[in-house]
Amino acid sequence: MASRKKVLLKVIILGDSGVGKTSLMNQYVRIIERNQNELSSYQHTHLWDTAGQERFQSLGVAFYRGADCCVLVYDVNNSKSFEALDSWRDEFLIQASPRDPESFPFVVIGNKIDVEENKRMISSKRAMTFCQSKGNLPYFETSAKEALNVEQAFEVIARSALAQEESEEYGGGDFGDPINIRLDSDRDGCAC
Ligand code: GDP
Ligand code: MG
């Protein structure tokens, strides 16, 4: 029997107030409900949303501790929310202090792409340049309102969290038993 040290993966979702974090989470819950009978990495993923405290930049260390993936969200129609991504990333690295900050998985989401074209402030190109400069972070453009591209983003988020957790198990040495680690994310290799 395969066994796992930690079955619940912690994903935290950061970004300025109003960018759509809670709305994305609600869409994510719908995805889980829809996929309930499938063997899916979603099942193990627990998303941590803020309760609005991000307005005061005071989320506390318990929010960040033990995260397996960090989602950085901005609103494509709001430049300030894009410019804040860097400081949210820094805040995460300070508070969560992951073992290997260089390889820690972040995923960037530009939300509210359903809003009229002429309201858009941040181009895909600009966002992708930012993501490249931070070590090729995966980038998705979504609409939580119209459920556009949300599932695709969370598939990558869930897989990144799983990969991070597994790399920590291997790196842990003290209590890891590599033989027992099951690669749930490698669904393609399973014919059952
Ligand atoms: P949070 O503060 O980051 O958690 O943001 P919320 O999820 O509370 O959303 C803030 C506001 O933006 C709400 O009025 C949402 O209905 C709206 N909103 C969220 N996502 C979208 C989206 O994709 N498109 C549009 N047009 N509005 C959105
Ligand atoms: Mg919220």
Side-chain angles (χ1 to χ4, degrees):
M1 265 305 277
S3 72
R4 292 184 56 80
K5 287 279 177 306
K6 187 174 160 188
V7 286
L8 212 53
L9 301 170
K10 178 173 175 177
V11 172
I12 68 170
I13 182 157
L14 290 177
D16 280 2
S17 181
V19 296
K21 300 182 297 300
T22 301
S23 305
L24 284 164
M25 196 191 69
N26 292 341
Q27 284 294 352
Y28 164 84
V29 169
R30 267 173 229 143
I31 294 168
I32 293 181
E33 285 167 359
R34 222 175 32 236
N35 293 353
Q36 222 156 34
N37 299 319
E38 287 176 34
L39 178 63
S40 156
S41 36
Y42 295 131
Q43 252 78 41
H44 306 294
T45 312
H46 183 200
L47 198 67
W48 286 50
D49 185 26
T50 68
Q53 320 94 299
E54 72 274 27
R55 254 168 283 158
F56 316 106
Q57 292 254 342
S58 59
L59 293 167
V61 77
F63 182 78
Y64 296 95
R65 194 182 292 133
D68 297 301
C69 178
C70 175
V71 185
L72 299 170
V73 186
Y74 77 98
D75 169 357
V76 298
N77 314 292
N78 178 334
S79 306
K80 204 170 143 272
S81 72
F82 177 73
E83 283 147 19
L85 290 182
D86 224 1
S87 60
W88 281 117
R89 181 177 167 278
D90 290 348
E91 180 74 1
F92 173 83
L93 291 173
I94 292 164
Q95 300 280 357
S97 48
R99 203 180 307 172
D100 184 3
E102 295 295 310
S103 72
F104 188 86
F106 289 93
V107 173
V108 178
I109 292 184
N111 189 40
K112 305 199 190 184
I113 55 165
D114 59 283
V115 175
E116 304 151 56
E117 190 86 36
N118 63 0
K119 296 244 170 71
R120 182 156 178 158
M121 303 291 286
I122 305 296
S123 66
S124 306
K125 189 160 171 256
R126 187 165 165 207
M128 284 193 284
T129 303
F130 169 81
C131 291
Q132 267 163 16
S133 77
K134 297 297 172 189
N136 274 328
L137 308 181
Y139 176 61
F140 292 90
E141 296 192 340
T142 62
S143 164
K145 187 180 174 192
E146 294 180 0
L148 282 173
N149 222 16
V150 177
E151 178 150 17
Q152 287 84 344
F154 278 107
E155 180 72 36
V156 167
I157 291 162
R159 282 166 182 264
S160 303
L162 198 56
Q164 170 68 7
E165 176 60 22
E166 280 161 359
S167 78
E168 281 181 356
E169 280 182 18
Y170 280 116
D174 293 348
F175 37 80
D177 180 0
I179 293 159
N180 281 336
I181 291 173
R182 195 170 124 223
L183 293 168
D184 283 344
S185 57
D186 191 18
R187 281 189 292 167
D188 297 343
C190 180
C192 49

